[in-house]
Amino acid sequence: MIEQLNIEAQELRTVAYSIYQEGQNGLLAMFANDERPLNGAYAIYCAFATGREIQLVRARLAAGGPLEFPSITPNISAAAWYEREIHDLFGLTPAGHPDLRPLVLHENWPEQLYPLRKDYQTDLAVPTANRNYPMAGVEGEGVFEVPVGPIHAGIIEPGHFRFSQMGERILRLDAKMFFLHRGIEKAVEGRPLEQAFYQVERISGVCAVAHSLSYCHAVEKLANVEVPIRALYLRALAAELERLYNHVGDIGNLCAGMGFAVPIMAGARMKEAIMTVNEAFTGSRFLRGMIVPGGVRKDIADQTARQIRVMLDELEPDFAGLIRLLRPNDEFLERVNTTGVVPRQAALDLGVVGVGARASGVDTDMRRDYPYGCYPELKFTVPVYTSGDVAARLWVRVDEVYQTIGLIRQIVDGLPDGPLKAEIGPIPAYSSSFGWSESSQGSNLHWLMAGENNTIYRLFVRAAAYPNWPALTVAAPGNIIPDFPLVNKSYELSYACLDR
């Protein structure tokens, strides 16, 4: 399923453009690795979706020469953030990149200090810099700027949005994120694989299962381990419960963008019922502690299975009643129809995933396209809409709630017998693999290179939020600022997944 092509860094642009084929094969992820201790070079990796396969390009950049490589952003817009991150964390310059402002490391981080290099001293007391960070905007008579954040009215992580507007309409949005970057990828270097898992599981509360699955899939491929079938079903149950509570809660939260109180409260109430079941199933409302490398930590009790069935039987008509408040409501539809449009081509160019992609006519889902676990044994459809607006993202979620309810029933009713865990044996040092899953927000990718004695040499995490946040800068222009909360909540992206 994954084919790796090894090239020199100066060939990267030519090879990447050839594989990309004007957008036919989208960029899934791009990252770097300091392999100087292994072979005296850095490496830049690009992963492309080629049909139902993944083409991984590894571009070698000799450490003794100029630390730059040809940028692929001019033709592959999805690479823009990845290349800026590589520049920040490794000091490798993508020559020809149109915007090399800091991304992950802000203006208070000193220049010439690259934390993902292997010779970076983790106990270093980093001095505070005072560099300038220019926000991108629009200049001209009658144009003014409206800054929003990074501190917001709600209890959410920080993000700064700078609107340029003339009159009521937004002309441009520039977003500055990564205010709480935690350095998790650096923190797990050298850690035992099974110990590092606990930090990975906590990258983001709303995507705990998705991150756990992606990481475990990578470890299990490296260890050549076959996870027991019962564990695969229990993993899928946790993943679908995570999707369900997020989607139901997000639909209610979207209504908060216009002050529609009844759906807000209904969504919160139903989400609470699902999270109560989560705690009964795993011991955690966020479903932590269930999935482990090789399988699952605990089995499901018969009483819990019955509790899940009862919850679904009550949730389904309750949720249908909530949606009946929205579909025929002209005032509601006036706010969501044609608001925050991301055209299909823009979604493809930016590599948008998940609900955002499917609402813009991009038919994609990792559970179906790159099947894993027990999903090949389960029946479900992938809803796709084409208008690319707030309404389309809402209706995709609504349809997926019903699909998820169906999947959970299939899993609980068809749970096979068997053991819960396979042991992770010795993994060859410096072998590498991808793991993936489909979170409530879209595809979640982990690339792992093992070190010696089953430790981590390099972990790269690309959550669904990463390629989706830039879509907001496309969705916002042409709308009015009071509609931005609706646009933002229609994606409902995780800040924590960026701040890994």
Side-chain angles (χ1 to χ4, degrees):
M1 186 173 287
I2 300 178
E3 180 182 345
Q4 181 167 313
L5 175 64
N6 296 311
I7 62 173
E8 295 299 316
Q10 63 266 25
E11 304 174 85
L12 179 59
R13 180 178 292 167
T14 300
V15 172
Y17 287 0
S18 174
I19 297 172
Y20 186 63
Q21 292 186 15
E22 300 297 330
Q24 292 185 42
N25 299 316
L27 181 70
L28 291 173
M30 184 176 183
F31 55 96
N33 190 20
D34 184 353
E35 300 177 3
R36 289 177 297 167
L38 309 181
N39 53 42
Y42 295 94
I44 297 107
Y45 292 84
C46 298
F48 292 91
T50 56
R52 294 294 189 261
E53 306 293 325
I54 295 176
Q55 176 70 67
L56 184 63
V57 178
R58 176 185 175 275
R60 178 182 180 275
L61 179 60
L67 296 182
E68 65 177 39
F69 60 96
S71 170
I72 64 174
T73 296
N75 272 27
I76 305 177
S77 301
W81 269 24
Y82 295 114
E83 291 186 338
R84 288 172 67 186
E85 181 173 298
I86 289 170
H87 185 249
D88 280 2
L89 301 179
F90 289 90
L92 310 180
T93 302
H97 193 290
D99 177 15
L100 267 185
R101 291 177 297 165
L103 179 73
V104 178
L105 305 178
H106 287 189
E107 60 272 20
N108 60 342
W109 186 269
E111 295 183 282
Q112 307 300 316
L113 197 59
Y114 306 112
L116 283 190
R117 289 186 180 182
K118 292 300 181 183
D119 52 9
Y120 176 81
Q121 300 176 9
T122 55
D123 60 351
L124 178 69
V126 179
T128 299
N130 190 24
R131 296 184 286 156
N132 181 46
Y133 186 93
M135 295 295 294
V138 177
E139 296 182 355
E141 185 178 354
V143 177
F144 59 96
E145 292 185 338
V146 178
V148 177
I151 306 302
H152 300 278
I155 306 174
I156 59 174
E157 298 95 335
H160 179 63
F161 304 99
R162 184 75 62 90
F163 298 92
S164 297
Q165 69 178 96
M166 178 180 288
E168 292 276 334
R169 297 291 168 183
I170 299 169
L171 300 177
R172 178 170 182 163
L173 167 63
D174 190 25
K176 182 182 180 185
M177 313 300 288
F178 298 90
F179 281 87
L180 298 179
H181 183 67
R182 291 164 288 169
I184 290 174
E185 292 177 356
K186 186 67 177 182
V188 298
E189 286 184 4
R191 295 280 182 88
L193 290 166
E194 297 195 59
Q195 183 187 96
F197 167 79
Y198 296 103
Q199 283 183 275
V200 171
E201 186 183 40
R202 286 156 176 77
I203 289 173
S204 172
V206 298
C207 301
V209 173
H211 284 296
S212 300
L213 277 177
S214 296
Y215 179 82
C216 288
H217 288 161
V219 171
E220 289 149 9
K221 288 172 189 173
L222 293 178
N224 196 26
V225 162
E226 184 174 344
V227 177
I229 184 65
R230 185 174 180 87
L232 294 179
Y233 270 73
L234 290 172
R235 283 178 167 190
L237 177 57
E240 295 308 316
L241 285 170
E242 180 171 83
R243 191 180 328 279
L244 186 62
Y245 89 73
N246 274 296
H247 277 356
V248 169
D250 291 348
I251 290 167
N253 287 340
L254 185 147
C255 296
M258 64 177 74
F260 195 176
V262 173
I264 300 170
M265 296 300 104
R269 174 174 51 78
M270 285 183 271
K271 179 181 177 181
E272 176 62 27
I274 301 165
M275 296 188 79
T276 299
V277 165
N278 292 350
E279 186 170 16
F281 174 39
T282 68
S284 165
R285 290 164 58 82
F286 291 100
L287 300 159
R288 292 175 180 149
M290 183 65 177
I291 297 169
V292 293
V296 295
R297 185 181 306 280
K298 58 179 290 190
D299 209 341
I300 184 172
D302 291 342
Q303 180 181 349
T304 305
R306 289 193 294 271
Q307 186 178 352
I308 291 173
R309 292 189 183 97
V310 170
M311 181 272 291
L312 295 178
D313 289 344
E314 294 174 352
L315 175 71
E316 193 166 15
D318 200 5
F319 180 75
L322 166 62
I323 302 309
R324 284 195 296 271
L325 292 175
L326 307 180
R327 284 199 188 273
N329 190 318
D330 290 339
E331 291 184 3
F332 175 82
L333 297 176
E334 175 69 22
R335 293 294 303 278
V336 298
N337 287 337
T338 71
T339 299
V341 174
V342 176
R344 183 175 188 274
Q345 190 59 52
L348 290 169
D349 290 344
L350 293 173
V352 175
V353 298
V355 170
R358 295 189 281 273
S360 293
V362 181
D363 188 0
T364 178
D365 190 304
M366 299 296 280
R367 297 171 297 173
R368 179 200 63 196
D369 302 339
Y370 301 92
Y372 57 88
C374 66
Y375 284 105
E377 310 302 320
L378 303 175
K379 295 180 180 180
F380 65 100
T381 60
V382 178
V384 178
Y385 286 69
T386 58
S387 57
D389 54 8
V390 169
R393 293 186 281 275
L394 167 62
W395 304 133
V396 166
R397 276 198 179 89
V398 169
D399 290 355
E400 288 188 1
V401 165
Y402 291 115
Q403 290 297 318
T404 300
I405 290 172
L407 280 168
I408 293 172
R409 284 183 171 137
Q410 290 179 61
I411 294 166
V412 173
D413 293 342
L415 190 62
D417 295 327
L420 300 179
K421 188 175 183 293
E423 293 302 315
I424 302 296
I427 293 174
Y430 312 115
S431 57
S432 61
S433 183
F434 266 110
W436 56 79
S437 62
E438 181 75 17
S439 76
S440 63
Q441 299 181 11
S443 61
N444 182 297
L445 306 177
H446 286 218
W447 181 85
L448 175 64
M449 177 178 279
E452 296 178 355
N453 302 316
N454 280 27
T455 59
I456 291 179
Y457 184 85
R458 167 81 165 107
L459 173 67
F460 166 75
V461 175
R462 197 281 276 153
Y466 195 97
N468 283 347
W469 273 110
L472 290 181
T473 65
V474 175
N479 296 277
I480 59 176
I481 288 182
D483 279 339
F484 182 70
L486 278 174
V487 177
N488 193 2
K489 290 177 183 297
S490 71
Y491 282 95
E492 198 67 355
L493 302 173
S494 168
Y495 291 83
C497 281
L498 294 185
D499 290 327
R500 65 201 192 283

